[in-house]
């Protein structure tokens, strides 16, 4: 019998590591995000055009401003270093809202889906949030018809606390978003 090169272990799109995105990997991350925005316009608030209109310097400046207050962008890498997926955490340094973080930009390339990469990206994000002083809850918004993402977030403990009607309007079609939240261990102790 001829053995396939693409066994689950040697699969070219198998996750090898989850790393932080920075200046060194900005170009590849931008290509990955652009692909996500192009392929799933209904899954993200940002348009392809607005993302393309921002310069590398602007994107980097935003990432660095976030890093300074504990925010980050993660990427899932294959053994060969290809970016397979991404997710970000944005924080707010305003005193009254710094206990809330926002999960954003969740995306896994179609060739690598269904291999637990999305779940592991969010699990790593949640692990890292444990070290962020004062961060009590992680919020996110997901289009109500995005059942795979909704299932993924529920699996990791997020719950829906509201539904925002007609958040996105794309080509005359409206999309509602479920608002979801997960308390961090620090937040779980509060009322
Ligand atoms: C949503 C997305 C990130 C999932 O990534 P993934 O790596 O394929 O997900 P995983 O393999 O880690 O799956 C984890 C869990 O998510 C859920 N899930 C993932 N894909 C699913 C699907 N097609 N149908 C139903 N549930 C699904 C399941 O609960 C799954 O656990 P299980 O396999 O034990 O049932 C990916 O489909 C994607 O990038 N979609 C386009 C962009 C997007 O929608 N982003 C979210 C914006 S809020």
């Amino acid at each position: 019998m001829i053995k396939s090169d693409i066994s689950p272990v040697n699969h070219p799109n198998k996750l090898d590591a989850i790393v932080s995105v920075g200046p060194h990997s900005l170009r590849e991350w931008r290509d990955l995000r652009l692909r996500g925005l192009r392929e799933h316009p209904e899954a993200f608030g940002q348009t392809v055009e607005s993302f393309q209109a921002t310069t590398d310097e602007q994107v980097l400046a935003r990432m660095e401003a976030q890093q300074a207050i504990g925010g980050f962008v993660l990427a899932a890498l294959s053994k060969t270093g290809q970016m397979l997926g991404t997710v970000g955490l944005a924080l707010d340094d305003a005193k009254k809202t710094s206990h809330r973080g926002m999960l954003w930009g969740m995306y896994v390339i179609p060739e690598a889906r269904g291999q637990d990469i999305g779940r592991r990206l969010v699990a790593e994000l949640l692990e890292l949030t444990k070290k962020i002083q004062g961060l009590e809850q992680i919020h996110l918004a997901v289009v109500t018809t995005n059942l795979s993402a909704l299932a993924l977030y529920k699996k990791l403990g997020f719950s829906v606390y509201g539904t925002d009607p007609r958040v996105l309007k794309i080509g005359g079609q409206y999309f509602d978003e479920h608002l979801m939240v997960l308390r961090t261990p620090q937040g779980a102790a509060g009322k």
Side-chain angles (χ1 to χ4, degrees), residues 84-139:
L84 306 174
T86 182
V87 69
L89 179 80
L91 299 178
D92 186 350
D93 60 353
K95 184 140 175 69
K96 291 182 184 172
T97 48
S98 61
H99 61 294
R100 294 161 59 108
M102 186 81 192
L103 181 154
W104 66 276
M106 177 80 209
Y107 174 65
V108 174
I109 59 169
E111 310 88 277
R113 288 188 193 152
Q115 296 185 76
D116 211 30
I117 295 176
R119 191 196 61 77
R120 285 179 62 185
L121 274 166
V122 179
E124 179 66 14
L125 177 147
L126 295 176
E127 192 55 37
L128 292 171
T129 61
K130 289 182 187 164
K131 295 179 197 139
I132 303 174
Q133 185 73 29
L135 185 64
E136 297 182 8
Q137 53 206 57
I138 316 293
H139 292 251

Side-chain angles (χ1 to χ4, degrees), residues 40 43-44 106-109 112-120 140-143 146-149 151-153 155:
H40 304 279
F44 304 103
M106 177 80 209
Y107 174 65
V108 174
I109 59 169
R113 288 188 193 152
Q115 296 185 76
D116 211 30
I117 295 176
R119 191 196 61 77
R120 285 179 62 185
L140 64 86
V142 55
V143 166
N146 191 347
L147 301 182
S148 48
L152 187 158
Y153 299 135
K155 195 169 186 176

Side-chain angles (χ1 to χ4, degrees), residues 146-183:
N146 191 347
L147 301 182
S148 48
L150 198 56
L152 187 158
Y153 299 135
K154 281 187 176 161
K155 195 169 186 176
L156 282 156
F158 285 85
S159 56
V160 174
Y161 65 91
T163 304
D164 201 350
R166 297 173 27 131
V167 176
L168 304 179
K169 185 179 179 186
I170 307 171
Q173 192 185 350
Y174 294 97
F175 294 87
D176 301 346
E177 282 184 350
H178 283 319
L179 306 175
M180 303 185 85
V181 70
L182 174 68
R183 294 265 192 113

Side-chain angles (χ1 to χ4, degrees), residues 59-75:
V59 174
L60 207 53
R62 256 181 241 161
M63 279 185 184
E64 285 169 357
Q66 271 298 317
Q67 269 166 16
I69 57 171
F72 51 79
V73 177
L74 299 178

